[in-house]
Amino acid sequence: MCFREDVETVEKTVLDLLLEAGGGYRSGEEMSGILGISRAAVWKQIQRLRTRGYGIDAATNLGYCLTELPDQLDGARILSLLGAHPWADRVHVLETVDSTNSLAKREALLGAPDGSVWIADEQTGGRGRQGREFLSPKGKGLYLSVLLRPRCIPAQVAHSTAMAAVAACDAIESVTGLRPGIKWTNDLILGEKKCTGILSELSAEWESNTLESLVIGIGINCAQQEFPGELRDKATSLRMETGTKPDRDLLAAALTRNLYVLSRELLTRREDWLRRYRADCITIGRQIRVRRGDVERTGVATGLDENGGLLVRYDDTGETGPVYSGEVSIRGTHGYI
């Protein structure tokens, strides 16, 4: 048996011991004795289970108690909520995947049609901008990617991430009643913490400069009640902000419908969507820091250009120019976010 299988077997046994406790506590010492591993190793398995969506309380002198099982996306219910939607026959709901964006890009190469949607209950290799990890535990979030095939050149979809942010805000508001703000360019914010990330990736034919595919991925933190380590001060979830666990099936259906509208209006109503983006964008009017590689500058975000680029008036020169890439942080009450 390989090491990964050993770890998964121990994790399952820890879970079985917690389930056998029937809502009561089971000490780490007892479990370490049963399993023949150290208490530190038991604690590591507890942490693994938590990242997979299990709620586990820990109490001194009592041990561990299983308080919550991860819920699971219901593909049949999502399709029922979509009804006769034009994309209903292209929606794929998966239990686990490396990354919905990576899967969408692979399927695009195999000829998947425009409007194909992949929704996952868990990502084992979720990705954000610049290759950063996007924590995607089982039963805690909504991870969705859509494949679009607009007939245009790549420059004509430069605003697609901005449109996706508005579509995601609409979906979250329709389900929770809360409307996030948008931190340029691709983060949705509640209470100065990130609840949603967006990653747009495109493929083009080099010689003709023709767009072959546009993949938009959206990851929403839904049911988390806490975040590990350094994410604790940076991330939040819909549950943490509302006090109740959101209906992820309803959210998936709402987001799919909104992305369909986006696809129909991507090349024809750009300014309408950018006007809505500006209204939600918390970056505009704020003191910001722009970092590109090793170069860092500060200034004030004054608005957006016609392609969704951030207009910045720099402190060092007083000149204003657009930003299309790099890291942009907003100065807040606790430093830059």
Side-chain angles (χ1 to χ4, degrees), residues 67-97:
T67 59
E68 182 181 349
L69 297 174
D71 61 357
Q72 191 166 346
L73 288 170
D74 186 336
R77 181 167 178 250
I78 292 172
L79 292 178
S80 177
L81 289 167
L82 286 172
H85 191 277
W87 284 354
D89 63 342
R90 307 170 203 180
V91 174
H92 312 275
V93 181
L94 309 168
E95 182 176 344
T96 186
V97 69

Side-chain angles (χ1 to χ4, degrees), residues 11 159 321:
E11 178 187 306
H159 60 294

Side-chain angles (χ1 to χ4, degrees), residues 108-145:
L109 293 174
L110 296 175
D114 176 80
S116 296
V117 177
W118 292 269
I119 305 169
D121 194 44
E122 176 188 36
Q123 293 183 125
T124 59
R127 297 182 291 111
R129 291 181 68 232
Q130 299 189 352
R132 291 194 178 97
E133 178 187 11
F134 187 90
L135 191 63
S136 312
K138 182 178 180 62
K140 295 296 185 181
L142 177 67
Y143 317 111
L144 181 152
S145 292

Side-chain angles (χ1 to χ4, degrees), residues 297-300 312-321:
R297 301 176 72 184
T298 60
V300 175
V312 180
R313 184 177 66 248
Y314 291 101
D315 293 335
D316 53 359
T317 64
E319 297 177 349
T320 297

